[in-house]
Amino acid sequence: MYDLIWLLPILPLLSFCILFATGGNLAPRWVTMLGVGSIGIAALIVGVIAWFWLTTGMREPYLYSLGPWMNVAGFTPTFGFYLDGLSLTMLMVVTGVGFLIHVYSSLFMADDLDFSRFFAYMNLFVSAMLVLVLADNLLLLYLGWEGVGLCSYLLVGFWHAKPANGAAARKAFIITRIGDTAMALGLFLLFMHLGTLEIQPMLATASATWQTGDSIPTIAALLLLGGAVGKSAQLPLQTWLPDAMAGPTPVSALIHAATMVTAGVYLIARTHELYLLAPMAQATVAIVGVATLLIAAFTALAQHDIKRILAYSTISQIGYMFLALGVGAWSSAIFHLMTHAFFKALLFLGAGAVIFSLHHEHDIFKMGGLRKKLPVAFWSFLIGSAALTALPFTSGFYSKDAILLAAFEHNPWLYAGGLLGALLTAIYSFRLVFLVFFGDVKTEPSAPAGPRMAVPLIILCFFSVVGGWIHIPVDEVFPVVAGPSHEGPVALITPLIPIVGVLLAYFLFLRRSLDFSGFFGSGLGRNLKAFFFSHWGMDWLYDKVFVVPYTAVARLNQSDAVDLVYEGVANLTSIFHSLIAFTQTGQLRWYAATMVAGLVLLIAIVMGIV
């Protein structure tokens, strides 16, 4: 049964090839069958594999090899797929949530002229992500890693007629390339010292070769972290993700819930044994996580665009996963990755239903009163926001609560940062709910979404509630650690803080009995709000530190000093050509005279006269 895993990336890849080769000439019905059906069959195969894995007790890691990839000086990586509890969990998230997003997309994008191209890119995206999570070696993982980067560029800039969309796509591509370069250097370092990139043998060799705290594993782990922060939009490479909202809403859901931004979390979890050898690098993961979740949460509070609020919430929630990885709560990080996939896909698709019904309006202050007019979208947002907030008995509660308790046992300051982030999450999540679905109607909606949009939302509502009861099969993958204590005041405060945040949001944005307009109307308040709205000025900072100096140097070097060398060679060649061409007179006497003169000169040289 496990032999079927090779079909998982092949099916969407084959669909991509057909859709790409036909160039949009297929009827929409066939495009839907190929685009949605390929992911549906992959999800069905994953479901069968998961059932066998969980019911038969055969949980030994399984390796399936399609054969050698290359042979360079003894380096022979294979197209090998590795199945264990971690990769199986990721497969269920990618194909399951990905399938629901594809079903939703079949209606959301139905009127788009590039319907076929959209599904071609989406299928390639899922195929690349499946290669990434199944890869048995880091080189193949890197192939999938670069594949999702390419597809993010194609999908973020899908509506390429608008220059802003192209700029957002380039920004995503360039910023993630910075992290990818760091990751590539990490792979070079690991191969140079360990002689292999096959993940399991490499980690075993690393544990046998290095001692905890050695410099080489620390540097390698930090370089891999560089790749992870790029793909997962963490400090300092997180600025691309909010701008990626330029793509269609289903793309946002796929990037945020099931594919790209989870790749960095998966990479660190997959190479966790390397981070256990590098405590400093692991501590850096936790610090990056808590700093990112706080910055993104404050920024989300000041946003007006419904999708950008959700984008910053993704950055913040991925920060919680990094925090969990950094404190050694490996299983909790993957657990939160799964529950986050449920409620974040639900929120993005719910936002898409609202945008779809409001004639592509994104500003939450132009919405309102949609509770009864869009009931499916309302309940989707209410349940999704409750899970995002981690209210008790939702899926997000079980995963985030475990992370915060583990952080407290590791370092109370990390716990305090995570707890503040939980409070802010509750406030901005229910600010969104109250402003969009309560109060007066500001924009009259069209008819509610059809079944192809409603059914995925209902399914995701179900999993956003009960997803916390799912036991993910990662016990054999990660080292056994004592679970966090659920006793004492900390265990009471942790679930109480999100409830306090919801109450604050209620009094601030629905009842409006708490009024801070005086403060935010002052100079300090306006500046603080503008600072948060600008994502703490990070785009401005990067523009001044990197973009402006680079463009200044480019202007100074418009003629390109390197090209001057090649232009000089070309000019010199042209001069010699002109001199030689001057001798071509077309007169036979001239040619005979030059031949005789050359022969005389050659004889003189041979005889030593010259």
Side-chain angles (χ1 to χ4, degrees), residues 118-139:
F118 174 81
F119 273 105
Y121 292 166
M122 291 280 277
N123 284 174
L124 183 61
F125 203 168
V126 173
S127 178
M129 189 67 189
L130 291 172
V131 169
L132 190 158
V133 301
L134 280 171
D136 79 319
N137 64 80
L138 288 176
L139 188 62

Side-chain angles (χ1 to χ4, degrees), residues 591-607:
Y591 294 154
T594 54
M595 288 175 63
V596 170
L599 182 60
V600 170
L601 180 61
L602 181 61
I603 293 172
I605 292 173
V606 172
M607 296 181 64

